[in-house]
Amino acid sequence: MQIDKLRGRELDQLFEAILSLKDVEECYRFFDDLCTINEIQSLSQRLEVARLLQTGITYQNIEKQTGASTATISRVRRCLTYGNDGYPMVLNRINKDEKKPETEEETVHE
């Protein structure tokens, strides 16, 4: 695990800060202060590349859709194949959240 080389108080603090965020708006505020626009866009682009790779889309189509370089696409593919399963874990979670059925309370108020 490559992240073991980075482990330490400062990285733990960063991850704890991220875990403390309550909603998307807080994420926007925190990451706007923490990162440059290009850094944020790069991170979101990599996640989108991972999502598209999981659906079987070709490198060429991913490049067209996201603007990601083939080097970035290859790096993400390597992580999907040999990494720590971080991308699949997160993508599965956000996909489940998007597909949540309506609760009874939501149905009653309609």
Side-chain angles (χ1 to χ4, degrees):
M1 185 185 275
Q2 209 172 24
I3 196 74
D4 286 336
K5 296 176 186 175
L6 298 174
R7 285 192 189 274
R9 186 188 61 76
E10 291 175 354
L11 193 55
D12 286 351
Q13 178 178 263
L14 172 63
F15 292 153
E16 290 296 332
I18 293 168
L19 289 169
S20 77
L21 300 170
K22 292 180 176 70
D23 56 29
V24 172
E25 183 57 35
E26 286 189 3
C27 288
Y28 273 103
R29 291 172 51 201
F30 178 68
F31 280 91
D32 186 45
D33 286 349
L34 181 67
C35 302
T36 66
I37 290 171
N38 286 341
E39 290 168 335
I40 295 168
Q41 288 173 332
S42 292
L43 293 171
S44 64
Q45 182 187 65
R46 288 179 191 165
L47 186 60
E48 179 62 2
V49 166
R51 186 187 71 77
L52 293 172
L53 283 168
Q54 282 192 325
T55 64
I57 294 178
T58 65
Y59 276 38
Q60 184 179 9
N61 285 334
I62 293 171
E63 193 174 9
K64 285 179 188 174
Q65 287 183 39
T66 65
S69 68
T70 54
T72 295
I73 299 167
S74 294
R75 181 186 186 284
V76 173
R77 165 61 75 201
R78 257 191 324 279
C79 290
L80 285 169
T81 305
Y82 304 110
N84 297 304
D85 295 324
Y87 282 122
M89 174 183 63
V90 168
L91 290 168
N92 288 336
R93 287 179 184 169
I94 62 176
N95 286 336
K96 283 180 187 173
D97 287 347
E98 290 172 0
K99 295 176 185 174
K100 278 187 182 174
E102 292 181 5
T103 64
E104 288 180 31
E105 186 176 309
E106 289 171 334
T107 306
V108 170
H109 289 104
E110 289 182 359

